[in-house]
Amino acid sequence: MRSRGSLRFFVAAVVALGAPALVTLLHFTTLHAAVPGLLYIVAIVLATIVGGRNAGLVAVAASVFPFFHYFTTRYDRGNANAEGITATLVFILAALFVSEVLRRESLARERAEEAVAASAIALDSASRLQTAADALATARTPQEVLDAVLSEGVRAAEARSGLIATLSDDGEWLDVIAQRGYNPDSIAPYQRFSLAGNFPLSEAVRTGEGVFLSSGKEQDERYPELVGGMQPRHALVCLPLVGHAGPIGGLVFSFASDQEFTPERRALKLALARQAGLALERSLIAEKEEKLRERISFLDASTALLASSLDIDEMLGWLTSLAVPELADWCAISVVSEAGLIESLAVAHQDPERRRWAEETQRRSIPVHIDDDFDLTARVIRTGEPIFLREVPQELLDEAAERDPETAHALEEISIRSAITVPLSSRSQNLGALTLVAEEREFDDDDFELAQQLSARAAIALENARLYSETERRADAALALAYVGDGVVLLDEAGRVRFWNAAAAAITGIRSEDAAGRAAEEVLPSWAELARIAELADAASPSRARSVTLPLETADGDRWVSVTGVAFDEGVVYALRDVTDERALERARSDFVATASHELRTPLAAVYGSARTLRRSDIELPPDQRDRFLEIIESETERLTAIVSQILLAGQLEEGRVDLATAATDLRGLAESVLDSTRVRAPAEVELKLDPGDDSTVALADEDKLRQVLVNLLDNAVKYSPDGGEVAVELGSAPGLVTLTVRDSGLGIPPGEQDRIFEKFYRLDPALTRGVGGSGLGLYISRELVSRMGGRMSVRSRPGEGAAFTVELPAA
Ligand code: ADP
C-alpha cells in the first residue's frame, strides 16, 4: 500500500514539474504566446488528474513564471506590459479553475467508487451470512452446525479448520463435540479444557467477546500455554456461542496463514457465531429430545419386558441384556446371601466368551461381605445410595488389585473407564445392586439417571417375582397342610385356634370353620388334657419334638391320638396323628398271643393227658379206651398243626412269599370233597348241603389254596352256628365270574364289624361268639388268597340270622 502511494506521489511530482518544463522548451520555437499558454493549462490539468489538487497547484506554480517570462514578454523582455500581466492573470485563473473542476470531478468519482466497493463488501457479507443462516437452519447436529459455518460462512475467510466445544453441565469445562480439518492427534490434548484456563476459547466464552489472533506469534505471546501445541500455527479466531439462556460453548477457526482482521471481518464472524450459537442450541435441544425419546422408549420396553415374567433368573437375564450394549459394556447384578456375602447373580457382556470368562473370574474371587468398607457394591447395598464414578480413579483399581489377585488378573484383561452402581431397592429393603461399566467412554449424567430409572423398575419387577414365589411357596405349604394325613392345629398365644386342617377335622369330627377363632378347650373339651400332657419342643429344634399318645374324646367316640407340639414366638403348632387303628392292631396282637396260647394249650393238654394215661402201667386200659386216647392224640395234633400252619401262612402272606399257580378248577368237585370232609367233623345238628346252580362252575384258581379258603369258611359257618342249622355252599356265575357262597344260619355279624373281621387277628367280642375259640387269622388269610387269585371276597350278614360269605373268581 505504502509503495503504491509513494509511486503515485512520484509520478504526480514528475508530471507537475516536468510538463510545465516541457512546455517552456517551446520558447526556442517561433510560436506565439497563445499556444504555449494553452499547453501550460493542459500540463496543469494533467498534473491535477495524476496528483490531485496539490500537484495541480505545483504545476500552476511551475507554469506561471516561465509563461510570463518567456511568452508574454517575448518581444519586450525588459517591460512588463499590461497585456502580458493580464494574460498571465487570466492564465492563472483559468489554470486554477480548470484544476479545481477536475479535482472535484475526480473526488466525486473516487467517492462513488468507494461507495460501490463498500456496498459490494456489505452485499458479500450479507450474502455469506444469509448462506450460512440457510445452512444453519437445517443443521440438526453439532457437526452439521460446524460444517455449515465452515463450508459456507467462512469460505471467503480461508479458515483451514474449525471446532465446536460445549460447556459441561457444571459450567466448568469446555468439551469438544465436533471438529473438522484438524489432525486428530494434535487435537487430542484439547478434547476437554478448563473454562477458567488461559486459553483463547476459554477467554472468548468467559468474556462473551471474540478473540482474534492474527498470527502464531501473537498466540504465543498472549497464551503461553499454547506454546509447543498444535503446529504450524497461524491466525486463530475464537468466538463465544450464545444460546437463549446464555453461553453454551465456543467456536474456533484456524487459518492456514496469518490474517489481518478488519472490523468488517470481525463483525462478520461475530454475526456468524451468533447464528451458530442459536443453531447449536437448537441442535443440542434436538439431540437431547431424541435421546430422551430413545430413553423413554428404552424404559418402556424394559418395563414391558420385566413385567412379562415372574421368574427371577429369566428376569435377571433380560435385565442384563437390556443394559448391554445399549447402556454399558459390562453389566452385573449382585445380591446379598443369607450369610451376608455379596453374590453375583448375573454378569453380561456383548461377547459371550468374555462373559464366560468374567463369570469364571468372579467364581474364583474372594467373597466380599456386606460390611466391607472398600467394596463399592457392598456399600451401595448397605446404604441404598448409588455411586457414580465418571472417571474411575486409578488408585481405586490399584487397591482392588492389591486386595485380590483374581481381580488384579481381571484388571489386566479389561479396562474400566467409567462405572455406575445403583441399588435395587424395594419398599422394604435393598435387594441388591446393578453395576454398569464402560470400557472406553465416560458415562454422563443422563446415563446415571437412566441407570437409576432402570434399577427402580428392575427392583419392582424383582420384588414382584420374589413375592410371587413366596406366595407360591405359601400356597404350596397351605396345600400340603390341607392334604397332609396328620392333623395340624395352630394355636395363638392366647390358645385360640388359628388353623385347623382337614385331617384335624377328620380326627376330631370338628370342622375347621367351627374351630377357627375359638379357644381350643372350647372346641374340644379334652384338649385341656392333651395340652397338659403334650411335651412342647422349641422352635429352634422342632425335630426334637417327642410324641405322646393319648385318648381324645370326640363326637365319633374315643380316638387314640399321637401328639407332638412345637412352641414358637406366636403360639404353638400341634401335629395329631390318629393311631386308633395301630392301637387296635397292637391290642389284637396281644389278644392273639393270649388266644393262641389258650388255643394251643387246650389240644396240648389233651395230648399230654392221653399220652400219660396210655403210659400208665398200674392200670390195664381196655382196648377201646386205648383207641379213644390215641384218636384224641391224633385229632388234637391235627388241630395244633392247623393253628401253627395258619400262623405261618399269615406271616408268609405278609411278606409276599406265597406262590400261587392258577388253573381251571371245577368248583363243584372241590365243594363236594370239602363238604364231605367237613361233614365228618361237624356236629350232628348242623346240616351241610351243596346248591350247585345251573351254570358252569369252572374258575381260574389255585385249587389247593381255594380248598383252604373253603375249609376255613365252612369251619367258621359250623363254628358260629352253635345251635346247629343249615350250612349251604351255593355255586353261581355272573358275566366273566364264578361265585361261591357259604351261607349259614348262625350267630351273624354286626354291620359295624363286617369289614373288620377280615383284618389280621381280628375277632369279635367273645360275648358275641359264645366263647368260640379261634386265631383271628382265617378270614384274613382267605381274603388275601382270593385276591391273589384275582378274585374278591365279601360278607352279608344280619346278627342272629346267619352270614353269607361270597368268593368271586374269574371264570376259566
Ligand atoms: P377265627 O379263627 O376267630 O374264626 P376268622 O378270621 O376265621 O378267625 O374269623 C374272624 C371273626 O369273624 C371270628 O372271630 C368271628 O367272630 C367272625 N366270624 C367268622 N365267620 C363267621 C360266621 N360264619 N358267622 C359269624 N361270625 C363269623
Side-chain angles (χ1 to χ4, degrees):
M1 287 295 280
R2 194 172 291 170
S3 61
R4 269 180 67 196
S6 54
L7 180 71
R8 231 173 118 179
F9 178 76
F10 176 71
V11 171
V14 168
V15 173
L17 296 172
L22 280 175
V23 178
T24 306
L25 290 178
L26 292 176
H27 167 66
F28 301 106
T29 69
T30 55
L31 283 174
H32 287 284
V35 174
L38 288 174
L39 287 174
Y40 275 122
I41 287 177
V42 170
I44 290 166
V45 168
L46 203 65
T48 307
I49 290 169
V50 175
R53 179 197 265 175
N54 291 341
L57 287 176
V58 169
V60 169
S63 304
V64 170
F65 178 73
F67 177 67
F68 178 74
H69 183 73
Y70 292 110
F71 299 104
T72 55
T73 57
R74 186 165 192 161
Y75 306 105
D76 190 8
R77 255 174 223 181
N79 301 312
N81 60 22
E83 189 191 343
I85 292 170
T86 306
T88 303
L89 282 176
V90 170
F91 168 77
I92 292 171
L93 280 176
L96 284 177
F97 178 73
V98 170
S99 82
E100 182 59 23
V101 167
L102 280 174
R103 189 188 69 81
R104 286 196 180 178
E105 195 269 337
S106 95
L107 205 65
R109 201 177 56 240
E110 255 175 36
R111 285 217 179 116
E113 273 173 9
E114 265 173 25
V116 168
S119 74
I121 289 174
L123 199 65
D124 185 46
S125 303
S127 85
R128 270 163 43 201
L129 267 180
Q130 185 55 47
T131 319
D134 288 347
L136 284 171
T138 55
R140 284 207 305 252
T141 64
Q143 187 66 47
E144 281 176 15
V145 170
L146 179 66
D147 289 349
V149 174
L150 272 183
S151 56
E152 300 296 337
V154 200
R155 196 181 27 167
E158 294 166 2
R160 178 185 57 178
S161 39
L163 64 81
I164 285 181
T166 48
L167 261 181
S168 63
D169 291 339
D170 55 11
E172 293 192 2
W173 300 95
L174 282 166
D175 293 307
V176 174
I177 56 166
Q179 69 99 354
R180 161 153 301 196
Y182 291 109
N183 176 350
D185 291 341
S186 66
I187 201 174
Y190 300 103
Q191 278 304 316
R192 161 170 265 224
F193 48 96
S194 162
L195 183 68
N198 188 27
F199 302 104
L201 187 59
S202 301
E203 187 181 318
V205 178
R206 259 192 336 258
T207 59
E209 282 167 21
V211 173
F212 295 87
L213 302 165
S214 297
S215 63
K217 191 161 153 271
E218 193 181 346
Q219 284 183 45
D220 292 351
E221 280 166 11
R222 282 180 58 182
Y223 302 98
E225 280 87 347
L226 294 179
V227 175
M230 264 184 277
Q231 292 296 339
R233 266 171 303 140
H234 294 286
L236 185 78
V237 173
C238 297
L239 302 162
L241 291 173
V242 181
H244 284 97
I248 55 169
L251 176 65
V252 175
F253 294 132
S254 292
F255 295 82
S257 58
D258 291 352
Q259 301 281 321
E260 189 190 347
F261 295 110
T262 60
E264 290 81 21
R265 288 185 77 187
R266 292 178 185 224
L268 175 64
K269 289 191 172 46
L270 284 167
L272 202 58
R274 267 195 298 283
Q275 290 188 353
L278 295 175
L280 179 68
E281 185 179 52
R282 217 174 35 243
S283 80
L284 290 177
I285 290 173
E287 259 192 356
K288 264 209 170 119
E289 270 178 4
E290 178 62 27
K291 240 180 167 177
L292 197 69
R293 243 196 315 279
E294 273 174 16
R295 282 174 185 216
I296 288 173
S297 70
F298 172 73
L299 283 173
D300 277 354
S302 57
T303 309
L305 203 58
L306 290 172
S308 66
S309 172
L310 285 169
D311 181 295
I312 292 187
D313 287 339
E314 190 174 53
M315 199 179 301
L316 291 179
W318 282 344
L319 185 59
T320 50
S321 62
L322 270 173
V324 172
E326 292 239 9
L327 251 176
D329 297 312
W330 289 96
C331 171
I333 292 173
S334 310
V335 293
V336 196
S337 72
E338 281 188 4
L341 294 175
I342 306 291
E343 268 178 16
S344 165
L345 286 192
V347 56
H349 189 272
Q350 210 177 355
D351 177 1
E353 242 344 275
R354 303 270 283 160
R355 199 195 67 219
R356 263 196 296 283
W357 168 82
E359 282 171 349
E360 189 55 36
T361 308
Q362 270 185 343
R363 250 195 300 286
R364 287 199 302 262
S365 302
I366 297 172
V368 175
H369 196 268
I370 181 78
D371 292 331
D372 193 305
D373 270 340
F374 176 78
D375 191 83
L376 295 184
T377 309
R379 200 192 309 165
V380 167
I381 300 178
R382 212 169 49 233
T383 62
E385 293 295 325
I387 292 180
F388 177 20
L389 297 173
R390 203 182 292 271
E391 180 97 43
V392 178
Q394 189 55 42
E395 309 87 70
L396 197 72
L397 299 174
D398 291 345
E399 199 174 337
E402 223 168 80
R403 284 161 51 101
D404 182 2
E406 234 10 272
T407 311
H409 179 63
L411 286 174
E412 281 170 16
E413 295 277 330
I414 56 169
S415 57
I416 296 182
R417 170 99 188 262
S418 202
I420 293 174
T421 301
V422 282
L424 292 167
S425 321
S426 74
R427 266 151 292 159
S428 49
Q429 56 177 343
N430 295 333
L431 306 169
L434 170 83
T435 298
L436 300 174
V437 168
E439 290 187 307
E440 304 292 341
R441 71 183 185 101
E442 256 179 32
F443 286 131
D444 59 18
D445 291 345
D446 288 344
D447 294 320
F448 185 43
E449 171 87 28
L450 188 62
Q452 291 184 81
Q453 292 187 353
L454 182 66
S455 85
R457 281 164 172 73
I460 292 171
L462 279 178
E463 174 76 349
N464 283 346
R466 235 171 41 97
L467 286 178
Y468 177 75
S469 72
E470 176 68 17
T471 311
E472 257 198 340
R473 208 178 53 76
R474 290 198 179 176
D476 288 346
L479 217 57
L481 282 177
Y483 289 103
V484 69
D486 287 358
V488 177
V489 171
L490 175 67
L491 303 186
D492 65 13
E493 279 169 312
R496 265 190 307 271
V497 175
R498 276 174 55 191
F499 183 71
W500 188 274
N501 75 346
I507 294 170
T508 58
I510 293 164
R511 297 183 311 166
S512 308
E513 46 270 47
D514 297 335
R518 292 167 60 201
E521 278 97 11
E522 197 187 312
V523 175
L524 198 67
S526 53
W527 192 275
E529 178 68 2
L530 180 150
R532 195 179 62 75
I533 299 177
E535 291 177 21
L536 298 185
D538 195 58
S541 49
S543 56
R544 294 247 183 91
R546 276 207 319 121
S547 65
V548 175
T549 305
L550 72 163
L552 206 60
E553 271 176 45
T554 72
D556 302 335
D558 268 6
R559 302 208 71 88
W560 283 89
V561 180
S562 151
V563 185
T564 46
V566 177
F568 63 107
D569 284 352
E570 293 163 42
V572 183
V573 59
Y574 289 98
L576 314 180
R577 171 168 296 176
D578 186 347
V579 291
T580 312
D581 290 350
E582 281 97 321
R583 266 193 85 87
L585 187 66
E586 294 267 297
R587 264 264 296 284
R589 221 174 243 156
S590 59
D591 283 357
F592 165 73
V593 174
T595 317
S597 321
H598 174 76
E599 287 290 307
L600 291 172
R601 187 180 294 150
T602 317
L604 271 177
V607 170
Y608 182 65
S610 304
R612 281 201 58 163
T613 311
L614 286 172
R615 280 195 66 197
R616 276 175 73 166
S617 50
D618 54 333
I619 49 166
E620 183 73 20
L621 283 176
D624 60 328
Q625 270 204 355
R626 207 180 177 78
D627 287 349
R628 173 85 193 112
F629 282 123
L630 285 172
E631 246 173 48
I632 289 174
I633 290 175
E634 191 184 0
S635 71
E636 291 304 316
T637 311
E638 258 175 27
R639 208 172 130 193
L640 271 176
T641 313
I643 293 172
V644 171
S645 51
Q646 258 194 345
I647 295 171
L648 282 175
L649 184 59
Q652 286 170 349
L653 278 169
E654 201 156 68
E655 289 165 23
R657 285 197 286 118
V658 179
D659 293 327
L660 282 93
T662 54
T665 308
D666 184 5
L667 297 193
R668 186 177 178 156
L670 183 74
E672 276 168 354
S673 106
V674 176
L675 272 171
D676 285 347
S677 60
T678 308
R679 252 182 222 113
V680 180
R681 297 196 301 271
E685 314 84 68
V686 174
E687 187 196 338
L688 291 152
K689 65 170 209 170
L690 174 70
D691 179 356
D694 302 328
D695 305 318
S696 161
T697 52
V698 183
L700 203 59
D702 180 316
E703 192 173 342
D704 271 1
K705 302 289 187 295
L706 191 57
R707 178 185 299 278
Q708 216 168 328
V709 171
L710 192 52
V711 168
N712 183 40
L713 290 179
L714 278 171
D715 277 356
N716 277 353
V718 172
K719 246 181 6 183
Y720 299 109
S721 300
D723 301 327
E726 188 183 83
V727 170
V729 176
E730 299 161 5
L731 300 179
S733 67
L737 295 174
V738 178
T739 60
L740 179 153
T741 303
V742 177
R743 186 186 303 282
D744 67 58
S745 48
L747 297 171
I749 306 148
E753 304 280 352
Q754 288 178 9
D755 262 349
R756 308 208 61 194
I757 53 173
F758 293 99
E759 287 172 18
K760 202 157 49 165
F761 304 126
Y762 194 82
R763 308 197 68 237
L764 288 190
D765 195 290
L768 294 173
T769 55
R770 298 212 198 145
V772 178
S775 63
L777 287 172
L779 285 180
Y780 166 75
I781 291 171
S782 301
R783 181 181 261 188
E784 286 294 311
L785 289 175
V786 168
S787 83
R788 269 157 227 234
M789 286 181 227
R792 273 177 357 118
M793 187 164 168
S794 56
V795 64
R796 280 198 319 277
S797 169
R798 273 206 208 147
E801 293 180 19
F805 286 84
T806 302
V807 174
E808 285 174 3
L809 288 167

